[in-house]
Amino acid sequence: MTTDEILFGVGLTFVLAVGSQIVASRMRVPALIILLPAGFVAGALTDDIHPDKLLGPAFQPLVSLAVALILYESGLGLDPRKLRGRPRRTVVSLIVTGVSLSWVCTTLFAGPVLGMSTQAALMLGAILVVSGPTVVGPLLDFVRPVDRLQRILSWEGSLVDPVGGTLGALVYAGVLNNTHSGVGKRVLQFAISVGIGLAGAVVGTALLWLLLARLRLSDVLATSAQLATVIAVAAACDMVRDDSGLIAAIVMGLAVGYLPGFDLPAERPFSETLLKLIIGLLFVSISSTVTPASVWHVLPPTLGLVAVLVLVARPLAAWLATLGAGMSRGERCFLAWMAPRGIVAAASASTFTVGLVAAGVGGASKILPVTFLVIAATVTLYGLSATPVARRLGVTRPTSARPLLVGGEPWAIDLGRALHSAGLEVLVWASSDEQRERIRKAGLELAPGELLAAATGRDARLEGINSVLLLTDEDDFNALASTVLRRSGSIPVYRLGPGGNRESEVVAPQGDGDTLLHPELTRPAVSQRYAQGARIVARRFDGPVPHDDDLLFLVRSGGRLTPANGVGAATPQPDDVAVVLGPAPDSPAVPQESAGPGHG
């Protein structure tokens, strides 16, 4: 290829990878629904985008290392403390039964219907056992299922990838070597791969502990150190044993995310941006290698294979895995309707097909186009149907607002109780042990972990948080947190106005974010009125809020939370619940200008 052709191919790949994700976000559909056809069409129109021409033999190792980075990031977001008891057993059972049934069903179907040899059918079955966080995660974000389903599916999608990748590598080696070893020997080979991956994970975790916990690198250097360590460890493991680097990567992610001593920021914009770019590049590149001619003649039987996987293998696996799990019928049915294929299946098919075709394995040339079609069909099917199916089964989170209240002052807890009595699911975060114990005694749900993790990113999505109320007795903290949270997340952030006449200010008192209440009703004024006996209650009014009450929030019909920010008149409607701060009993109104510091 000429220099101009290489530049055109690389530029087009990046444009399609990013552009497809932008289009998908605007259409509110999973990115894979756009990425796969974009790469397929581009590959049909020009050869300049084909990765085998752009990168040559380096493409397959780069794909493996890229998948290792994806699994490491996925492992960081999985907290073993949140998966205990029956859900943990369900995840293990889903992986065991799901992998076994998918492999068997695919192998039995691919031989006679797709016209593959036994070796190629076994290889295809091993490839299609995986799911993956790159497809399951975005789908769950759209669907917002109940907490138990979200955690089970997130764990299954992340853990099944290294299992399936290792299985694929073992089958691939067995097919090329034409070995017919028994089950015991294959189990031993699998155990060796797992052992190498775990050993690599131990070394990698130790290196990361040294770099992150001991050297205390800056955020930028810490991210670079993680990327370099994961790539180096995954590469070393793959050199010893194919695809054992995937096991090392996800175990390293789990260790860094769970073990004490690692102080990772809740938001990692550089690594998250890089991973989104990697996912886009991988899907565009791999799908561009699939030709229309190779797809057309396998399309009808592949759709039959998709029907077997969707209607037979997955439902049977979900039914077996959830026996005695204490799950409702709707939850079990939704588990049976969620098994899309993703990047690891595409990467494995792209990697293994070349060697099998070169070895003359019958039907090996069909593996990549069949895998491409299965990924496209399952992602489209589940992506378009998962939300209505979840709603029909009654397993989605409530559509009502779920605010995160930050602060453990008595009046803030009283506000949380009032919002809860108005029908909202309230989550409360506080820093001190005394405040957290006070929140527990009030019967409110306590947000775990650090504030930034609870209010933004993966934890906020898992908990269904859709607004943040900053109510601590430190105005500087509220202003600073408002600025950070608004820049880190996409949910509304509200706070009370600061008190005036302060001798020193850490940050500008106005900060970022919307201010609750009228400007003259500041946080010290609310705290002082509460100390004088005023209480926060939820009430229904037939007309305007009484003059002696100050409106804090309106809970609209359907659970929509509307803060009273002093902009325009807020009048309760017939179905609304007003959350108000009443007057202090038998005491004159407190002059807002001279309100003293908050009462602790």
Side-chain angles (χ1 to χ4, degrees):
M1 297 181 68
T2 66
T3 301
D4 289 344
E5 289 173 337
I6 293 175
L7 292 174
F8 174 76
V10 172
L12 180 59
T13 303
F14 272 80
V15 168
L16 291 176
V18 177
S20 298
Q21 296 186 63
I22 293 175
V23 171
S25 68
R26 302 300 297 177
M27 296 177 62
R28 296 192 58 80
V29 297
L32 265 65
I33 294 179
I34 309 297
L35 285 166
L36 291 176
F40 177 73
V41 172
L45 295 177
T46 175
D47 290 341
D48 294 341
I49 198 175
H50 290 176
D52 52 345
K53 293 188 176 182
L54 287 173
L55 299 174
F59 175 63
Q60 302 304 338
L62 289 175
V63 168
S64 179
L65 296 178
V67 173
L69 285 174
I70 293 171
L71 293 180
Y72 172 76
E73 180 68 19
S74 175
L76 288 177
L78 298 175
D79 188 349
R81 291 167 295 190
K82 297 181 179 179
L83 190 76
R84 296 177 177 175
R86 288 179 174 178
R88 177 178 293 181
R89 292 194 296 271
T90 301
V91 170
V92 174
S93 298
L94 267 178
I95 293 174
V96 173
T97 58
V99 167
S100 302
L101 288 172
S102 295
W103 191 14
V104 170
C105 290
T106 302
T107 302
L108 294 178
F109 185 93
V113 179
L114 285 167
M116 291 182 171
S117 64
T118 302
Q119 293 91 335
L122 285 169
M123 189 75 258
L124 179 65
I127 289 171
L128 293 180
V129 302
V130 297
S131 178
T134 59
V135 286
V136 173
L139 284 177
L140 295 179
D141 289 341
F142 279 110
V143 178
R144 297 184 70 246
V146 294
D147 180 76
R148 177 162 54 180
L149 282 177
Q150 178 108 18
R151 298 194 187 284
I152 288 174
L153 288 168
S154 296
W155 274 88
E156 182 205 8
S158 297
L159 295 182
V160 76
D161 274 2
V163 172
T166 304
L167 176 64
L170 292 176
V171 174
Y172 176 72
V175 170
L176 287 186
N177 296 329
N178 198 27
T179 59
H180 301 281
S181 54
V183 175
K185 186 173 182 180
R186 291 184 182 274
V187 171
L188 177 62
Q189 295 297 318
F190 183 83
I192 292 174
S193 297
V194 172
I196 293 172
L198 292 177
V202 171
V203 174
T205 302
L207 287 173
L208 288 174
W209 178 83
L210 175 64
L211 294 169
L212 303 180
R214 300 294 294 177
L215 298 184
R216 298 288 182 181
L217 301 177
S218 65
D219 287 348
V220 174
L221 283 177
T223 300
S224 301
Q226 290 177 77
L227 294 175
T229 303
V230 173
I231 290 175
V233 170
C237 290
D238 284 346
M239 290 171 63
V240 178
R241 193 86 175 180
D242 284 343
D243 281 348
S244 60
L246 301 183
I247 297 174
I250 194 161
V251 174
M252 287 170 62
L254 288 168
V256 172
Y258 175 71
L259 294 177
F262 292 99
D263 187 19
L264 295 181
E267 291 295 299
R268 301 176 293 276
F270 174 76
S271 60
E272 291 172 1
T273 301
L274 178 62
L275 288 174
K276 283 185 177 293
L277 181 60
I278 287 174
I279 292 169
L281 293 173
L282 286 178
F283 275 112
V284 168
S285 298
I286 292 173
S287 59
S288 70
T289 63
V290 181
T291 64
S294 66
V295 167
W296 182 250
H297 74 281
V298 298
L299 179 59
T302 301
L303 293 179
L305 175 60
V306 171
V308 170
L309 293 174
V310 170
L311 301 177
V312 179
R314 179 62 181 188
L316 183 56
W319 179 74
L320 292 173
T322 55
L323 287 175
M327 301 179 70
S328 67
R329 180 175 178 273
E331 289 174 325
R332 297 180 72 184
C333 289
F334 187 75
L335 277 182
W337 192 253
M338 184 57 63
R341 270 56 179 179
I343 188 61
V344 173
S348 299
S350 177
T351 300
F352 299 144
T353 295
V354 176
L356 295 178
V357 171
V361 176
S365 61
K366 299 178 182 179
I367 292 177
L368 182 57
V370 169
T371 303
F372 171 81
L373 289 174
V374 170
I375 294 173
T378 55
V379 169
T380 302
L381 175 64
Y382 293 125
L384 298 179
S385 67
T387 298
V389 167
R391 288 174 180 167
R392 183 64 181 264
L393 295 173
V395 294
T396 57
R397 294 178 186 269
T399 57
S400 59
R402 192 181 198 201
L404 171 66
L405 276 60
V406 179
E409 299 304 309
W411 69 269
I413 296 175
D414 210 19
L415 173 61
R417 281 196 294 251
L419 292 173
H420 182 72
S421 69
L424 301 185
E425 294 186 22
V426 178
L427 200 62
V428 188
W429 184 92
S431 57
S432 71
D433 292 337
E434 179 183 353
Q435 290 178 334
R436 296 171 74 85
E437 183 61 28
R438 194 183 302 158
I439 293 167
R440 290 191 188 94
K441 289 182 178 179
L444 297 174
E445 185 176 355
L446 191 63
E450 64 174 22
L451 174 58
L452 193 60
T456 61
R458 183 185 180 93
D459 284 358
R461 292 194 300 270
L462 285 176
E463 300 294 346
I465 295 168
N466 45 31
S467 63
V468 179
L469 312 178
L470 298 167
L471 310 173
T472 74
D473 61 352
E474 295 290 342
D475 293 329
D476 284 327
F477 174 85
N478 294 340
L480 180 60
S482 177
T483 300
V484 173
L485 292 177
R486 283 177 66 86
R487 294 176 180 176
S488 300
S490 58
I491 58 179
V493 180
Y494 302 96
R495 63 191 178 88
L496 291 175
N501 302 322
R502 296 186 301 164
E503 295 182 359
S504 63
E505 294 171 348
V506 177
V507 294
Q510 67 273 12
D512 283 342
D514 297 323
T515 302
L516 294 171
L517 310 181
H518 294 279
E520 66 271 12
L521 192 57
T522 61
R523 191 273 313 159
V526 173
S527 182
Q528 184 168 342
R529 273 179 57 179
Y530 188 87
Q532 292 174 345
R535 290 297 176 260
I536 299 172
V537 294
R539 294 176 180 167
R540 294 185 184 272
F541 295 100
D542 293 333
V545 175
H547 179 71
D548 291 339
D549 290 330
D550 284 296
L551 179 64
L552 306 182
F553 298 92
L554 285 176
V555 180
R556 304 285 191 183
S557 61
R560 184 166 55 92
L561 185 65
T562 302
N565 56 8
V567 180
T571 303
Q573 301 301 314
D575 293 332
D576 294 345
V577 177
V579 179
V580 299
L581 173 66
D586 301 326
S587 66
V590 179
Q592 306 303 328
E593 313 277 332
S594 59
H599 178 73

